Coordinates of all heavy atoms in Angstrom, one line a residue:
M1 N 168.7 -2.8 60.6 CA 167.8 -3.8 61.2 C 168.3 -5.1 60.7 O 168.5 -5.3 59.5 CB 166.4 -3.5 60.6 CG 165.4 -4.6 61.1 SD 163.7 -4.3 60.6 CE 163.8 -4.4 58.8
F2 N 168.3 -6.1 61.6 CA 168.7 -7.5 61.3 C 167.6 -8.4 61.7 O 167.2 -8.4 62.9 CB 170.0 -7.8 61.9 CG 170.4 -9.2 61.7 CD1 170.8 -9.7 60.4 CD2 170.3 -10.1 62.7 CE1 171.2 -11.0 60.3 CE2 170.6 -11.5 62.5 CZ 171.1 -11.9 61.3
I3 N 167.0 -9.2 60.8 CA 166.1 -10.2 61.2 C 166.7 -11.5 60.9 O 167.0 -11.8 59.7 CB 164.7 -10.0 60.4 CG1 164.0 -8.7 60.8 CG2 163.7 -11.2 60.8 CD1 162.8 -8.4 60.0
D4 N 166.9 -12.3 61.9 CA 167.6 -13.6 61.7 C 166.8 -14.6 61.0 O 167.4 -15.5 60.3 CB 168.1 -14.2 63.1 CG 167.0 -14.5 64.0 OD1 165.8 -14.1 63.7 OD2 167.2 -15.2 65.0
E5 N 165.5 -14.5 60.9 CA 164.7 -15.4 60.2 C 163.6 -14.7 59.6 O 162.7 -14.0 60.2 CB 164.0 -16.4 61.2 CG 164.4 -17.8 61.0 CD 163.8 -18.6 62.1 OE1 162.7 -18.3 62.7 OE2 164.5 -19.6 62.5
A6 N 163.6 -14.6 58.3 CA 162.5 -13.9 57.5 C 161.2 -14.8 57.8 O 161.2 -16.0 57.9 CB 162.8 -13.8 56.1
P7 N 160.1 -14.1 57.9 CA 158.8 -14.9 58.2 C 158.5 -15.9 57.1 O 158.1 -17.1 57.4 CB 157.7 -13.8 58.1 CG 158.4 -12.5 58.5 CD 159.8 -12.7 58.0
C8 N 158.8 -15.6 55.8 CA 158.6 -16.6 54.8 C 159.5 -17.9 55.0 O 159.1 -19.0 54.9 CB 158.9 -16.1 53.4 SG 157.6 -14.8 53.0
D9 N 160.8 -17.6 55.4 CA 161.7 -18.7 55.7 C 161.2 -19.5 56.8 O 161.2 -20.8 56.8 CB 163.1 -18.2 56.0 CG 163.7 -17.6 54.8 OD1 163.3 -17.9 53.6 OD2 164.7 -16.8 55.0
Y10 N 160.7 -18.9 57.9 CA 160.3 -19.6 59.1 C 159.0 -20.4 58.7 O 159.0 -21.6 59.1 CB 159.9 -18.5 60.1 CG 159.4 -19.2 61.4 CD1 160.2 -19.8 62.3 CD2 158.0 -19.2 61.7 CE1 159.7 -20.4 63.4 CE2 157.5 -19.7 62.8 CZ 158.4 -20.3 63.7 OH 157.9 -20.9 64.8
C11 N 158.1 -19.8 58.0 CA 156.9 -20.6 57.7 C 157.2 -21.8 56.8 O 156.8 -22.9 57.0 CB 155.9 -19.6 56.9 SG 154.4 -20.5 56.3
L12 N 158.1 -21.6 55.7 CA 158.4 -22.7 54.9 C 159.1 -23.8 55.7 O 158.9 -25.0 55.4 CB 159.3 -22.2 53.7 CG 158.6 -21.7 52.5 CD1 159.6 -21.1 51.5 CD2 157.7 -22.7 51.8
W13 N 160.0 -23.4 56.6 CA 160.8 -24.4 57.3 C 159.8 -25.2 58.1 O 160.0 -26.5 58.2 CB 161.8 -23.8 58.2 CG 162.5 -24.8 59.0 CD1 162.4 -24.9 60.4 CD2 163.2 -25.9 58.6 NE1 163.1 -26.0 60.8 CE2 163.6 -26.7 59.8 CE3 163.5 -26.5 57.4 CZ2 164.3 -27.9 59.7 CZ3 164.2 -27.7 57.3 CH2 164.6 -28.4 58.4
V14 N 158.8 -24.6 58.8 CA 157.9 -25.4 59.6 C 157.1 -26.4 58.7 O 157.0 -27.6 59.2 CB 156.9 -24.4 60.3 CG1 155.7 -25.2 61.0 CG2 157.6 -23.6 61.4
I15 N 156.7 -26.0 57.6 CA 156.0 -26.9 56.7 C 156.9 -28.0 56.2 O 156.6 -29.2 56.2 CB 155.4 -26.1 55.5 CG1 154.3 -25.2 56.0 CG2 154.8 -27.0 54.5 CD1 153.9 -24.1 55.0
C16 N 158.1 -27.7 55.7 CA 159.0 -28.6 55.3 C 159.5 -29.6 56.3 O 159.6 -30.8 56.1 CB 160.2 -28.0 54.6 SG 159.8 -27.2 53.0
E17 N 159.8 -29.0 57.5 CA 160.2 -29.9 58.6 C 159.2 -31.0 59.0 O 159.5 -32.1 59.1 CB 160.5 -29.1 59.8 CG 161.1 -29.9 61.0 CD 161.4 -29.0 62.2 OE1 160.7 -28.0 62.4 OE2 162.2 -29.5 63.0
A18 N 157.9 -30.6 59.0 CA 156.9 -31.6 59.3 C 156.9 -32.7 58.2 O 156.8 -33.9 58.5 CB 155.5 -30.9 59.3
E19 N 157.1 -32.3 56.9 CA 157.1 -33.3 55.9 C 158.3 -34.2 55.9 O 158.3 -35.4 55.7 CB 157.0 -32.6 54.5 CG 156.9 -33.5 53.3 CD 155.6 -34.3 53.3 OE1 154.6 -34.1 54.2 OE2 155.5 -35.3 52.5
I20 N 159.5 -33.6 56.3 CA 160.8 -34.3 56.4 C 160.6 -35.4 57.5 O 161.0 -36.5 57.4 CB 161.9 -33.4 56.7 CG1 162.2 -32.6 55.4 CG2 163.1 -34.2 57.1 CD1 163.1 -31.4 55.7
R21 N 160.0 -35.0 58.6 CA 159.8 -35.9 59.7 C 158.8 -37.0 59.3 O 159.0 -38.2 59.8 CB 159.3 -35.2 61.0 CG 160.3 -34.3 61.6 CD 159.8 -33.6 62.8 NE 160.7 -32.6 63.3 CZ 161.8 -32.8 64.1 NH1 162.0 -34.1 64.5 NH2 162.6 -31.9 64.5
R22 N 157.8 -36.7 58.5 CA 156.9 -37.7 58.1 C 157.5 -38.8 57.2 O 157.4 -40.0 57.3 CB 155.7 -37.0 57.4 CG 154.5 -38.1 57.1 CD 153.4 -37.3 56.3 NE 153.8 -37.0 55.0 CZ 153.8 -37.9 54.0 NH1 153.6 -39.2 54.2 NH2 154.2 -37.5 52.8
V23 N 158.2 -38.2 56.2 CA 158.9 -39.1 55.1 C 160.1 -39.8 55.6 O 160.4 -41.0 55.2 CB 159.1 -38.3 53.8 CG1 159.8 -39.0 52.8 CG2 157.8 -37.7 53.3
K24 N 160.9 -39.1 56.4 CA 162.2 -39.7 56.9 C 163.1 -40.1 55.7 O 163.4 -41.2 55.5 CB 162.0 -40.9 57.8 CG 161.2 -40.5 59.0 CD 161.1 -41.7 60.0 CE 160.4 -41.2 61.2 NZ 159.1 -41.5 61.4
P25 N 163.5 -39.1 54.9 CA 164.4 -39.4 53.7 C 165.7 -40.1 54.2 O 166.2 -39.7 55.3 CB 164.6 -38.1 53.1 CG 164.3 -37.0 54.1 CD 163.3 -37.6 55.1
K26 N 166.2 -41.0 53.4 CA 167.4 -41.7 53.8 C 168.7 -41.1 53.2 O 169.8 -41.4 53.7 CB 167.3 -43.2 53.4 CG 166.1 -43.9 53.9 CD 166.4 -44.5 55.2 CE 165.2 -45.4 55.7 NZ 164.2 -44.7 56.4
T27 N 168.6 -40.4 52.1 CA 169.7 -39.8 51.4 C 169.6 -38.4 51.2 O 168.4 -37.8 51.3 CB 170.0 -40.5 50.0 OG1 168.9 -40.2 49.2 CG2 170.1 -42.0 50.1
L28 N 170.6 -37.7 50.8 CA 170.6 -36.3 50.5 C 169.7 -36.0 49.3 O 168.9 -35.1 49.4 CB 172.0 -35.7 50.3 CG 172.0 -34.2 49.9 CD1 171.5 -33.4 51.1 CD2 173.5 -33.9 49.7
D29 N 169.7 -36.9 48.4 CA 168.9 -36.7 47.1 C 167.4 -36.8 47.6 O 166.5 -36.1 47.1 CB 169.2 -37.7 46.1 CG 170.5 -37.4 45.3 OD1 170.9 -36.2 45.4 OD2 171.0 -38.3 44.8
D30 N 167.1 -37.8 48.5 CA 165.7 -38.0 48.9 C 165.3 -36.7 49.7 O 164.1 -36.3 49.5 CB 165.6 -39.2 49.9 CG 165.7 -40.5 49.1 OD1 165.7 -40.5 47.9 OD2 166.0 -41.5 49.9
L31 N 166.1 -36.2 50.6 CA 165.8 -35.0 51.3 C 165.5 -33.8 50.4 O 164.5 -33.1 50.5 CB 167.0 -34.6 52.2 CG 166.9 -33.3 53.0 CD1 165.7 -33.3 53.9 CD2 168.1 -33.1 53.8
M32 N 166.4 -33.6 49.3 CA 166.2 -32.6 48.4 C 164.9 -32.7 47.7 O 164.1 -31.7 47.4 CB 167.4 -32.5 47.4 CG 168.6 -32.0 48.1 SD 170.1 -32.2 47.1 CE 169.7 -31.3 45.7
E33 N 164.5 -33.9 47.4 CA 163.2 -34.2 46.7 C 162.0 -33.8 47.6 O 161.1 -33.2 47.1 CB 163.1 -35.6 46.2 CG 161.9 -35.9 45.5 CD 161.8 -37.4 45.0 OE1 162.9 -38.1 44.9 OE2 160.7 -37.8 44.6
V34 N 162.1 -34.2 48.9 CA 161.0 -33.9 49.8 C 160.8 -32.4 50.0 O 159.7 -31.9 49.9 CB 161.3 -34.6 51.2 CG1 160.3 -34.1 52.2 CG2 161.2 -36.1 51.1
V35 N 162.0 -31.7 50.1 CA 161.9 -30.2 50.3 C 161.4 -29.6 49.0 O 160.5 -28.7 49.1 CB 163.3 -29.7 50.7 CG1 163.3 -28.2 50.7 CG2 163.7 -30.2 52.1
T36 N 161.9 -30.0 47.9 CA 161.4 -29.4 46.6 C 159.9 -29.6 46.4 O 159.2 -28.7 46.1 CB 162.2 -30.0 45.5 OG1 163.6 -29.7 45.6 CG2 161.7 -29.4 44.1
D37 N 159.5 -30.8 46.7 CA 158.0 -31.2 46.5 C 157.2 -30.4 47.5 O 156.1 -29.8 47.2 CB 157.8 -32.6 46.7 CG 158.3 -33.5 45.6 OD1 158.7 -32.9 44.5 OD2 158.4 -34.7 45.8
C38 N 157.7 -30.2 48.7 CA 157.0 -29.5 49.7 C 156.8 -28.0 49.3 O 155.8 -27.4 49.4 CB 157.8 -29.6 51.1 SG 156.9 -28.9 52.4
V39 N 157.9 -27.4 48.9 CA 157.9 -26.0 48.5 C 157.0 -25.7 47.4 O 156.2 -24.8 47.4 CB 159.4 -25.4 48.2 CG1 159.3 -24.0 47.6 CG2 160.2 -25.4 49.5
V40 N 157.0 -26.6 46.4 CA 156.2 -26.5 45.2 C 154.7 -26.6 45.6 O 153.8 -26.0 45.0 CB 156.5 -27.5 44.1 CG1 155.6 -27.6 43.0 CG2 157.9 -27.2 43.5
S41 N 154.4 -27.4 46.6 CA 153.0 -27.6 46.9 C 152.4 -26.7 47.9 O 151.2 -26.8 48.2 CB 152.9 -29.0 47.5 OG 153.5 -29.1 48.8
V42 N 153.2 -25.7 48.4 CA 152.7 -24.7 49.3 C 151.5 -23.9 48.7 O 151.6 -23.4 47.5 CB 153.8 -23.8 49.8 CG1 153.2 -22.6 50.7 CG2 154.8 -24.5 50.6
D43 N 150.4 -23.8 49.4 CA 149.2 -23.2 48.9 C 149.4 -21.6 48.7 O 150.0 -21.0 49.6 CB 148.1 -23.4 50.0 CG 146.8 -22.8 49.5 OD1 146.3 -23.2 48.4 OD2 146.2 -22.0 50.3
E44 N 148.9 -21.1 47.6 CA 149.1 -19.7 47.4 C 148.5 -18.8 48.4 O 149.0 -17.8 48.8 CB 148.4 -19.4 46.0 CG 148.6 -17.9 45.7 CD 147.9 -17.5 44.3 OE1 147.6 -18.4 43.5 OE2 147.7 -16.3 44.1
I45 N 147.3 -19.2 49.0 CA 146.7 -18.4 50.0 C 147.6 -18.4 51.3 O 147.7 -17.3 51.9 CB 145.3 -19.0 50.4 CG1 144.4 -18.9 49.2 CG2 144.8 -18.4 51.7 CD1 143.1 -19.6 49.4
E46 N 148.3 -19.5 51.6 CA 149.2 -19.5 52.7 C 150.4 -18.6 52.5 O 150.9 -17.8 53.4 CB 149.7 -20.9 53.0 CG 150.6 -21.0 54.2 CD 150.0 -20.8 55.5 OE1 148.8 -20.7 55.6 OE2 150.7 -20.7 56.5
V47 N 150.9 -18.6 51.3 CA 152.0 -17.7 50.9 C 151.6 -16.2 51.1 O 152.3 -15.4 51.6 CB 152.5 -18.0 49.5 CG1 153.6 -17.0 49.1 CG2 153.1 -19.4 49.4
R48 N 150.4 -15.9 50.6 CA 149.9 -14.5 50.7 C 149.8 -14.1 52.2 O 150.1 -13.0 52.5 CB 148.6 -14.3 49.9 CG 148.8 -14.4 48.5 CD 147.4 -14.2 47.7 NE 147.6 -14.3 46.3 CZ 148.0 -13.3 45.5 NH1 148.3 -12.2 46.1 NH2 148.1 -13.5 44.2
R49 N 149.3 -15.0 53.0 CA 149.2 -14.7 54.4 C 150.6 -14.4 55.1 O 150.8 -13.4 55.8 CB 148.5 -15.8 55.2 CG 148.3 -15.5 56.7 CD 147.9 -16.8 57.4 NE 148.9 -17.8 57.5 CZ 150.0 -17.8 58.2 NH1 150.2 -16.7 59.1 NH2 150.9 -18.7 58.2
V50 N 151.5 -15.2 54.7 CA 152.9 -15.0 55.3 C 153.5 -13.7 54.8 O 154.0 -13.0 55.6 CB 153.8 -16.2 54.9 CG1 155.2 -16.0 55.3 CG2 153.3 -17.5 55.6
V51 N 153.3 -13.4 53.5 CA 153.9 -12.2 53.0 C 153.1 -11.0 53.7 O 153.8 -10.0 54.0 CB 153.7 -12.1 51.5 CG1 154.0 -10.8 50.9 CG2 154.6 -13.2 50.8
R52 N 151.8 -11.1 53.9 CA 151.1 -10.0 54.6 C 151.7 -9.8 56.0 O 151.7 -8.6 56.5 CB 149.7 -10.4 54.7 CG 148.8 -9.4 55.3 CD 147.4 -9.9 55.7 NE 147.6 -10.9 56.7 CZ 146.9 -12.0 56.8 NH1 146.0 -12.4 55.9 NH2 147.1 -12.9 57.8
D53 N 152.1 -10.8 56.6 CA 152.6 -10.7 58.0 C 154.1 -10.1 58.1 O 154.5 -9.9 59.2 CB 152.5 -12.0 58.7 CG 151.1 -12.5 59.0 OD1 150.2 -11.6 59.0 OD2 150.9 -13.7 59.4
V54 N 154.7 -10.0 57.0 CA 156.1 -9.5 57.0 C 156.2 -8.1 57.6 O 157.0 -7.8 58.4 CB 156.7 -9.4 55.6 CG1 158.0 -8.7 55.6 CG2 157.0 -10.9 55.1
R55 N 155.2 -7.2 57.3 CA 155.2 -5.8 57.8 C 155.2 -5.8 59.3 O 156.0 -5.1 59.9 CB 154.1 -5.0 57.1 CG 154.1 -3.6 57.6 CD 153.1 -2.7 57.0 NE 153.2 -1.4 57.4 CZ 153.5 -0.4 56.6 NH1 153.7 -0.6 55.3 NH2 153.7 0.8 57.0
P56 N 154.2 -6.5 60.0 CA 154.2 -6.4 61.5 C 155.5 -6.9 62.1 O 156.0 -6.4 63.1 CB 153.0 -7.3 61.9 CG 152.1 -7.3 60.7 CD 153.0 -7.2 59.5
W57 N 156.1 -7.9 61.4 CA 157.4 -8.4 62.0 C 158.5 -7.3 61.9 O 159.2 -7.1 62.8 CB 157.9 -9.6 61.1 CG 157.3 -11.0 61.5 CD1 156.0 -11.3 61.4 CD2 158.0 -12.1 62.0 NE1 155.9 -12.6 61.7 CE2 157.1 -13.1 62.2 CE3 159.4 -12.3 62.3 CZ2 157.4 -14.3 62.6 CZ3 159.7 -13.6 62.7 CH2 158.7 -14.6 62.9
A58 N 158.6 -6.7 60.7 CA 159.6 -5.7 60.5 C 159.3 -4.4 61.4 O 160.2 -3.9 62.0 CB 159.5 -5.2 59.1
E59 N 158.1 -4.1 61.6 CA 157.7 -2.9 62.4 C 158.1 -3.2 63.9 O 158.6 -2.4 64.6 CB 156.2 -2.6 62.3 CG 155.9 -1.9 61.0 CD 154.4 -1.7 60.9 OE1 153.5 -2.3 61.7 OE2 154.0 -1.0 59.9
L60 N 157.8 -4.4 64.3 CA 158.1 -4.8 65.7 C 159.6 -4.8 65.9 O 160.1 -4.4 67.0 CB 157.4 -6.1 66.1 CG 157.5 -6.5 67.6 CD1 157.0 -5.4 68.5 CD2 156.8 -7.8 67.8
C61 N 160.3 -5.4 64.9 CA 161.7 -5.5 65.1 C 162.3 -4.1 65.3 O 163.2 -3.9 66.1 CB 162.3 -6.2 63.9 SG 164.1 -6.4 63.9
I62 N 161.9 -3.2 64.5 CA 162.3 -1.8 64.5 C 162.0 -1.2 66.0 O 162.8 -0.6 66.6 CB 161.8 -0.9 63.4 CG1 162.3 -1.3 62.1 CG2 162.0 0.6 63.7 CD1 161.6 -0.8 60.9
K63 N 160.8 -1.4 66.3 CA 160.3 -0.9 67.6 C 161.0 -1.4 68.8 O 161.3 -0.7 69.8 CB 158.8 -1.1 67.8 CG 158.2 -0.5 69.0 CD 156.7 -0.8 69.0 CE 156.0 0.0 70.0 NZ 154.9 0.8 69.6
M64 N 161.3 -2.7 68.8 CA 162.0 -3.3 69.9 C 163.6 -3.1 69.8 O 164.2 -3.7 70.7 CB 161.7 -4.8 69.9 CG 160.2 -5.1 70.0 SD 159.5 -4.4 71.5 CE 160.2 -5.4 72.8
G65 N 164.1 -2.5 68.8 CA 165.5 -2.3 68.7 C 166.2 -3.6 68.4 O 167.3 -3.9 68.9
D66 N 165.6 -4.4 67.5 CA 166.2 -5.7 67.1 C 165.9 -6.7 68.3 O 165.0 -6.6 69.1 CB 167.6 -5.7 66.7 CG 167.8 -4.9 65.4 OD1 166.9 -4.8 64.6 OD2 168.9 -4.4 65.2
G67 N 166.8 -7.6 68.5 CA 166.7 -8.6 69.6 C 165.6 -9.5 69.4 O 165.1 -9.7 68.3
H68 N 165.1 -10.1 70.5 CA 164.1 -11.2 70.5 C 162.7 -10.5 70.6 O 162.5 -9.8 71.6 CB 164.3 -12.2 71.6 CG 165.6 -12.9 71.4 ND1 165.8 -13.9 70.4 CD2 166.8 -12.8 72.0 CE1 167.1 -14.3 70.5 NE2 167.7 -13.7 71.4
F69 N 161.9 -10.8 69.7 CA 160.6 -10.1 69.7 C 159.4 -11.0 69.3 O 158.3 -10.6 69.4 CB 160.5 -8.8 68.9 CG 160.8 -9.1 67.4 CD1 159.8 -9.5 66.6 CD2 162.1 -9.0 66.9 CE1 160.1 -9.7 65.2 CE2 162.4 -9.3 65.6 CZ 161.3 -9.6 64.7
K70 N 159.7 -12.2 68.9 CA 158.6 -13.1 68.5 C 157.5 -13.3 69.5 O 156.3 -13.3 69.2 CB 159.2 -14.4 68.1 CG 159.9 -14.4 66.8 CD 160.5 -15.8 66.5 CE 161.4 -15.7 65.3 NZ 162.0 -17.0 65.0
S71 N 157.9 -13.4 70.8 CA 156.9 -13.6 71.9 C 156.0 -12.4 72.0 O 154.9 -12.5 72.5 CB 157.6 -13.8 73.2 OG 158.3 -12.6 73.6
K72 N 156.3 -11.2 71.5 CA 155.5 -10.0 71.6 C 154.7 -9.8 70.3 O 153.9 -8.8 70.2 CB 156.4 -8.8 71.9 CG 157.0 -8.9 73.2 CD 158.0 -7.7 73.4 CE 158.6 -7.6 74.7 NZ 159.0 -8.7 75.5
L73 N 154.8 -10.6 69.2 CA 154.3 -10.3 68.0 C 152.7 -10.3 68.0 O 152.1 -9.4 67.5 CB 154.7 -11.4 66.9 CG 154.3 -11.1 65.5 CD1 154.8 -9.7 65.0 CD2 154.8 -12.2 64.6
N74 N 152.1 -11.2 68.7 CA 150.6 -11.2 68.7 C 150.1 -10.0 69.4 O 149.1 -9.4 69.0 CB 150.1 -12.5 69.4 CG 150.2 -13.7 68.5 OD1 150.2 -13.5 67.3 ND2 150.3 -14.8 69.1
K75 N 150.7 -9.5 70.5 CA 150.3 -8.3 71.2 C 150.5 -7.1 70.3 O 149.6 -6.3 70.3 CB 151.1 -8.1 72.5 CG 150.7 -9.0 73.6 CD 151.6 -8.6 74.9 CE 151.2 -9.4 76.0 NZ 152.0 -9.0 77.2
Y76 N 151.6 -7.1 69.5 CA 151.8 -6.0 68.6 C 150.7 -6.0 67.6 O 150.2 -4.9 67.2 CB 153.2 -6.2 68.0 CG 153.5 -5.0 67.1 CD1 153.8 -3.8 67.6 CD2 153.5 -5.2 65.7 CE1 154.2 -2.7 66.8 CE2 153.8 -4.1 64.8 CZ 154.1 -2.9 65.4 OH 154.5 -1.8 64.6
K77 N 150.3 -7.1 67.0 CA 149.3 -7.1 66.0 C 148.0 -6.7 66.5 O 147.2 -6.0 65.8 CB 149.1 -8.5 65.4 CG 150.2 -9.0 64.5 CD 149.9 -10.4 64.0 CE 151.0 -10.9 63.1 NZ 150.8 -12.3 62.7
R78 N 147.7 -6.9 67.8 CA 146.5 -6.4 68.4 C 146.6 -5.0 68.9 O 145.6 -4.4 69.3 CB 146.1 -7.3 69.6 CG 145.7 -8.7 69.3 CD 145.2 -9.4 70.5 NE 146.1 -9.4 71.6 CZ 146.9 -10.4 72.0 NH1 147.1 -11.4 71.2 NH2 147.7 -10.3 73.0
G79 N 147.8 -4.4 68.7 CA 148.0 -3.0 69.1 C 148.1 -2.8 70.6 O 147.9 -1.6 71.1
S80 N 148.5 -3.8 71.3 CA 148.6 -3.7 72.8 C 150.0 -3.5 73.3 O 150.2 -3.6 74.5 CB 147.9 -4.9 73.5 OG 148.6 -6.1 73.1
I81 N 150.9 -3.2 72.4 CA 152.3 -2.9 72.9 C 152.4 -1.3 72.8 O 152.1 -0.7 71.8 CB 153.4 -3.5 72.0 CG1 153.4 -5.0 72.2 CG2 154.7 -2.9 72.3 CD1 154.5 -5.7 71.4
E82 N 152.8 -0.7 73.9 CA 152.9 0.7 74.0 C 154.0 1.3 73.1 O 155.0 0.6 72.8 CB 153.2 1.1 75.4 CG 152.0 0.8 76.4 CD 152.4 1.2 77.8 OE1 153.4 2.0 78.0 OE2 151.7 0.7 78.7
E83 N 153.8 2.6 72.6 CA 154.8 3.2 71.8 C 156.0 3.5 72.6 O 156.1 3.8 73.7 CB 154.2 4.5 71.2 CG 153.2 4.3 70.2 CD 153.7 3.6 68.9 OE1 154.9 3.9 68.6 OE2 153.0 2.9 68.3

């Protein structure tokens, strides 16, 4: 099984990307500071939610035979994708 983007990575990137766009760092050091501060400030509840969601991602990836499956994730969580 190959997942090109782990859910935790995806979640962190979305949060960091928004902060990078807001701050608009001018140097690599500034960028590294923004990303570090962003990762450190992520709420524990949000991290737990993302970790909880890893299982449905992995199960759906296996079920779909890898490939693109993000668009089907919500249906899968609701149990509306057939076996």
